[in-house]
Amino acid sequence: MQGVIALLEQYAINRIMGAGSPVSHKSKAGLGLMALAGFLLLLGLGFLTYALNLWLYEMYAPQVATAITGGLCIFASLLIVMIGYLILQFKKMQHQKSQQEAMEMAVALIDYAQEELREPVEQNPKTSLALAATAGFVAGQRYL
């Protein structure tokens, strides 16, 4: 039984030490500054688009210049959506991989615990049954 407890302790330590820092610990000031930076970025992109449109007016007819500007904006937005989709797919694959690893670890822990507990249960089946029934009764009284 000591082997199972040591294995569980090691697993818990590895999960705690390997975890990244949560996003929720950012301050409100930092989030506000990021929002302001995002707003200024969008404002700058808007002015650059307008400047591009004015520059194209000098070379092309107004409707052609506006069509080129609109087409470039649509192309840029589609490119951003595609990059976002790829990032989400990559994160999804990482999440599935970590779930698979956790599932494999849980199965390994259950198999190990089953091997550790099999011998005492096979040697004392009546005592094991009485302990299991008592534990079930206590758990039922406590949690139900």
Side-chain angles (χ1 to χ4, degrees):
M1 193 64 178
Q2 290 291 357
V4 173
I5 292 174
L7 191 60
L8 287 173
E9 287 174 349
Q10 185 64 36
Y11 176 72
I13 289 171
N14 286 342
R15 293 297 286 181
I16 291 170
M17 297 301 283
S21 62
V23 177
S24 62
H25 288 289
K26 290 186 177 180
S27 68
K28 288 183 181 179
L31 290 175
L33 288 174
M34 292 298 287
L36 179 63
F39 172 73
L40 291 175
L41 176 70
L42 288 176
L43 189 65
L45 287 172
F47 278 118
L48 282 174
T49 304
Y50 183 65
L52 172 68
N53 195 25
L54 289 177
W55 180 66
L56 288 172
Y57 271 180
E58 294 176 6
M59 291 188 266
Y60 301 104
Q63 54 275 44
V64 175
T66 305
I68 292 172
T69 305
L72 288 174
C73 288
I74 290 171
F75 176 74
S77 68
L78 290 175
L79 189 64
I80 290 170
V81 166
M82 190 183 314
I83 290 170
Y85 177 75
L86 291 175
I87 289 172
L88 289 176
Q89 289 299 320
F90 179 71
K91 285 187 176 188
K92 183 179 177 183
M93 286 177 19
Q94 282 184 330
H95 180 68
Q96 288 175 346
K97 183 179 175 183
S98 81
Q99 278 184 334
Q100 183 69 22
E101 289 174 358
M103 195 63 121
E104 289 172 1
M105 180 63 78
V107 167
L109 284 172
I110 290 171
D111 289 343
Y112 184 73
Q114 188 175 11
E115 288 176 19
E116 287 284 324
L117 297 175
R118 179 179 297 154
E119 187 178 328
V121 169
E122 287 176 353
Q123 289 177 355
N124 303 314
K126 291 179 184 177
T127 306
S128 300
L129 180 64
L131 285 173
T134 305
F137 179 75
V138 169
Q141 292 295 321
R142 184 174 213 150
Y143 296 111
L144 296 178

